[in-house]
Amino acid sequence: MNHSGHVEYTATGMPNRKLAIWLFLASECMFFGALIATYLIYQGQSLVGPYPEDLFDIPLTTVSTFILLMSSLAMVLAVAAAQKEDLKQTRLWLAVTALMGLTFLGFQAYEYNHFIHAGLTLSVNLFGSTFYVMTGFHGAHVAIGVIWLSSLFAHTFRPVDPKRRALDIEIAGLYWHFVDIVWIVIFTVVYLLGVGG
Amino acid sequence: MATVQESFPTQRAAILPRPKSTTGFWSWVTTVDHKRIGIMYAVTAIFFFLVGGIEALIIRLQLFSPDMNVVSADVFNQLFTMHGTTMVFLAVMPLSAAFFNYLLPLMLGARDVAFPRLNAFSYWLFLFGGIFINTGWFVNAAPAVGWFGYANLTSPAYTPGLATDFWNIGLQILGIGTLVSAFNFIVTIINMRAPGMTLMKMPVFAWTTLVTSFLIIFAFPSVTVGMILLTFDRLFNANFFEVAANADVVLWQHLFWIFGHPEVYILILPAMGIVSEVLPTFARKPLFGYSVMVFSTILIGFLGFAVWSHHMFTVGMGPVVNSIFSLATMAIAIPTGVKIFNWISTLWGGSIRFKAPLLFALGFVWMFMIGGLSGVMHSSAPSNAQQQDTYFVVAHFHYVLIGGAIFALFAGLYYWFPKVTGRLMNEKIGVVNFVLMFIGFNVTFFPMHFLGLMGMPRRIYTYDPALGLQFWNQVSTIGSFILAAGVAVYLYNLAVSLKKGELAGEDPWDARTLEWMLPNPPPVYNFARIPVVSARDEFWARKYEGAPAKEVAAGSEDEEDGIHLPGNSYFPIIMAGMITLFGYGLLYSGALAVAAIILTILSAMGWAFEGVGGTIIYPKGDAE
Amino acid sequence: MVRSGNKLKRIFSIVPLASAVAWAQGAFAQAPQSVFAPAGPVAQTQLNLLSLTLWIAIGIFVVVGSILLYTVIRFRARPGDPIPKQIQGNTTLEVIWTVIPIIILIVIAVPTVRDAFGLASPPPVDDVLNVRVIGYQWWWAFEYPDLGIVTANELRVPVGKVVNLTLESNDVIHSFWVPRLAGKMDVIPNRVNTMWFVAEEAGIYYGQCAEFCGTSHANMRFRVIAQPENEFHAWVEGRRAVEAFSPANDLVARGQAIFESTGTCFACHNVDGTAANGQVGPDLTDFASRTTIAAGLLANTPENLARWLRDPQAVKPGALMPRLPLSDDDIQALTAFLYSLE
Ligand code: HEA
Ligand code: HEA
Ligand code: CUA
Ligand SMILES: [Cu+2]
């Protein structure tokens, strides 16, 4: 009697946890919306430098953005594999997704390091405050995603009902895609449209 | 209640075993039963209500006359800050949550909420967050920035020390708990309704809970971001609200009120839901205009997001913005008015039984209307310039918050007391309770309308004797003690009725909704077999309209002969504790903060891999 | 018949209600900071709007409240009541009580928008008085940029003239509110707000900070003193005639010496014609002509001044003027000096 294997009865047919993650992401939209709005409100308001145009290295960030974007593809493959109950492929793509997430974080760490040396700290001006807090919270989301994916990866070595596993991974995937999309918005608004603004 | 229990096999060794006890202290600490959690919410919220009430009484004493020296200016400022914060976040919201918790699964015909452990987690975050905010009192650092903590008074330059941090970080801890419970309730309502209960057959209380929870998930992030920014300013020298760095301090006001206005509907919608349950029962008529009620609740929810700047009419936003927000605000009177008229129509033609719950519900309709009407007076921006930040506003919001929310919550406390305890509240004492609170409330707060228009600003610890404000302040202070006496009578009634209250039997009010089909108090598993719903007022329909009493076994095949009860768990309280520890770490020690983060992650993993646990229970004989 | 009699009674009950409200308004208008005693067009317009909404609110409450009362009395349970008819709703009714409030709200909305725009900018006249208001924790500075004078806590204006204010803050958010002249406007750091008013009668108008701004928010009061044009000009001229201050007697001279000695008053206060040009505290050039001390808190009397100088925080919690080690003699001298500052 494997209890965790049963498909729970729900009035809509959508599993509870999946519905919950959708609601969570809706709430997160407001969260990042407020952070991005704050960034925009303070754009061009800094009294002293460094300013965005002094620092942003668009090609570099494009690369890290691309990696994060591709990680979503890997995530899709992981979900698909899990749904096909293909354990090997699931492991592979979970690992790839997590590694790409880590790479993105590496780029971010490099970027922060570079910016700090160029004089942009949290306290120096409004740009520093808004930039670090917004991208920092995004980075924290990626980090949590990486931890999540890693534990799912570890979990693949345990005997779990495959349907349940597929759902677990699908839910993590929703989160991961969301974090990705948020970055696309940040990248567009902050890096691409922001410079010179 | 003859039941057979069988412990449910845990799948694998977990970090901590599932706790086993079903009675005693630890069974409450580790409980995941929505009914127990509901009771814990109620008890804690009433406790904080008393704390906030005592703070209010000290405020009233200090304002009795211009030369009172009950407290110093600084303590007074701490008192109203903590009073507002406590009442809003630690009394009314959690008291509403108590009703959500206890009642929703029963009303929906479910065994529990969607995520029982998350539910416990929310409660612990509420409790710990409340303690965190109140820590200030014990380390001589209670916040004094007002309950909406306008920047830049919250900057370290103007409020050094930890006081503002206790407020700021404590509210974030609470916020996580509130958000989590909102997700939980939405999923519960959307997914866990009994077969046959379409959305439009749900009790209105479920609807108001649903809309409230949506308001929470969309409104809280805004203030959370505001508070995060403030945290970075205060702890890490960021510049979000630092004037010297060219910050715009009004940003805080937007972030706060985009949350703050929906918040007031978060406070009132559950109350409206309660009243919409109580009035039909005691008028013995269905709620008039159910679908319009539902629609107006949704509309209020939507409009609630479009009016936040009516708290900022005097910020200098210009006539265009002010006009837009004036009109949007006024529009809310329409769906709200519809509700009032529908409640009256529910009573019309009924057979009204004047029991304590009904008295409180009627008091609600009455006084909420007064508060709503003064709200409409505020909404006219040009005249708001004479009202903003005066006692006229204080009068408005206490009419909607006490006359509205608190009275409705009391109606609910009286109405569902037999459900929870199996005993009736003493009716005579209940009437005394109501009369004292009704009179005390109006004597306290009606004069505040006068005071405001006579030029008394709010948040002043003393006033110029030349202003002629003394008389009405004295009336108000006297009223507040009558009100407090009313609350004390409630506590007395509670104590008496818990011990010696008349046994309620089944269905003491001749009620209409599913929860009353269960024994009082309900068994742990709620419904032995899940009812199949065919009507809006299912219980009534079964009693009087010959609706078929159909039932099914819930869930999957393997439950056919038994009910799986989720196991208790240590992790909700542990994880909530770790998050709270992180808060203290931020203020006292970086090492503690880092340790707390790691422990939080670990407890999250322990939680995730805890395994199912629980028991299978075989109800015997009490299936109808 | 009986029914219409009831109706009549109900209509007549509005008369005593109305007169009670009128009486109350009259009584409340006595209060010096009352919204019900407007003394200028801005406050008057705002009161008109407030009255409109107030009467509508009272009207709705009386009507709906009566219906509610009637309902609960009329339909109270009686022994042997049958089960009431289970009515689910009534579309016509529901439409009606959606439409009526809409109409009522339009009645409020139209003048709201009209006045929002009407009051946003002052009447287009040339002859205006410009004043820069600066909020400090917990007092007010008033600068007359066109007249070149600065004063504190008491804003003098000529009767009948449009006064244009620009509002700025030195520290946190405050709010400038003189109920009898105009509704409030917030005073926000990093922003410049504007408002205007006209005082139509000579007199002293009480005002008070209306946004919580820290410990002594309650004590951040001020006065607007509206004077006939000629008196106002006399005051302005007196204030502008900046000549070197010459002490009238020894005591005053000693007071001035203390005032100007290092580390004391002059570091924070300005007095035209002396070495004191501090910018931290209120300008004291015309101190003797003020009616109050410490932002409207105390009447301006020698005893009160001595109390203030002895221990500012004891008078006004949190006051940002330090408690200086002054002997009674020092205080006497300082008092003499300060009261020679007309
Ligand atoms: C439960 C909480 C609650 C509720 C339900 C409301 C409801 C409303 N509030 Fe209130 N409000 C607060 C809590 C609440 N408020 C709080 C806490 C503050 C102060 C915060 C602070 O500064 O600390 C505040 C402040 C506040 C302000 C800012 C005041 C100021 O600071 O200057 C305004 C301005 O527009 C306002 C308006 C309204 C309106 C229009 C409604 C409407 O929803 C009311 C609608 C109801 C009715 C109108 C009555 C019934 C209707 C009829 C009988 C139909 C016919 C009526 C008409 C046609 C008019 N409120
Ligand atoms: C739901 C919310 C809520 C509730 C229920 C209340 C309840 C009360 N409030 Fe409320 N109040 C606010 C929300 C609320 N308030 C908010 C948001 C503010 C704004 C804060 C700010 O400006 O930042 C405010 C501000 C505020 C002020 C203005 C302060 C100021 O601006 O300076 C005043 C003044 O009178 C006041 C009075 C009261 C009183 C007398 C009660 C009474 O109803 C209290 C009744 C309860 C009791 C009296 C408790 C009973 C106690 C006993 C019976 C004793 C038992 C003893 C033991 C068991 C030991 N409140
Ligand atoms: Cu300045 Cu309150
Ligand atoms: Cu509001």
Side-chain angles (χ1 to χ4, degrees), chain B residues 202-403:
Chain B
M202 289 198 305
V204 170
F205 182 72
W207 266 109
T208 57
T209 309
L210 183 65
V211 175
T212 303
S213 303
F214 269 109
L215 288 177
I216 289 173
I217 71 171
F218 289 119
F220 266 62
S222 177
V223 74
T224 306
V225 165
M227 292 185 162
I228 286 173
L229 304 185
L230 183 61
T231 309
F232 275 91
D233 272 10
R234 290 187 62 88
L235 302 180
F236 309 112
N237 297 317
N239 300 310
F240 293 103
F241 307 112
E242 290 304 324
V243 170
N246 200 25
D248 182 1
V249 295
V250 176
L251 173 64
W252 168 270
Q253 301 188 15
H254 286 292
L255 289 172
F256 187 89
W257 290 118
I258 288 176
F259 145 81
H261 188 82
E263 169 69 15
V264 308
Y265 296 112
I266 292 169
L267 296 168
I268 204 68
L269 288 179
M272 292 175 160
I274 291 174
V275 168
S276 304
E277 299 298 329
V278 170
L279 292 180
T281 297
F282 290 93
R284 311 191 79 201
K285 273 183 67 210
L287 185 68
F288 191 89
Y290 173 94
S291 34
V292 177
M293 280 307 229
V294 168
F295 184 69
S296 64
T297 305
I298 297 172
L299 195 62
I300 289 174
F302 270 106
L303 285 174
F305 279 99
V307 302
W308 78 89
S309 282
H310 68 211
H311 296 273
M312 301 164 60
F313 282 145
T314 61
V315 161
M317 297 178 299
V320 179
V321 176
N322 276 2
S323 298
I324 292 172
F325 279 100
S326 279
L327 301 190
T329 304
M330 288 172 194
I332 292 195
I334 299 162
T336 318
V338 166
K339 282 180 178 284
I340 303 259
F341 300 129
N342 279 356
W343 285 322
I344 296 178
S345 311
T346 304
L347 295 168
W348 185 275
S351 168
I352 304 170
R353 292 166 298 159
F354 287 89
K355 300 280 186 198
L358 181 87
L359 292 178
F360 278 100
L362 289 177
F364 163 90
V365 178
W366 212 282
M367 292 179 294
F368 174 76
M369 191 158 68
I370 299 181
L373 291 167
S374 59
V376 171
M377 291 182 67
H378 292 325
S379 70
S380 175
S383 85
N384 176 274
Q386 292 283 30
Q387 302 165 18
Q388 204 266 335
D389 264 326
T390 68
Y391 266 77
F392 195 77
V393 174
V394 177
H396 158 67
F397 67 71
H398 284 91
Y399 263 88
V400 280
L401 284 170
I402 305 179

Side-chain angles (χ1 to χ4, degrees), chain A residues 11-12 14 16 27 42 45 129, chain B residues 12 191 217 239-240 246 248:
Chain A
T12 57
M14 186 193 255
N16 286 344
S27 184
Y42 281 154
Q45 301 294 315
S129 300
Chain B
R12 55 188 162 264
N191 262 355
I217 71 171
N239 300 310
F240 293 103
N246 200 25
D248 182 1

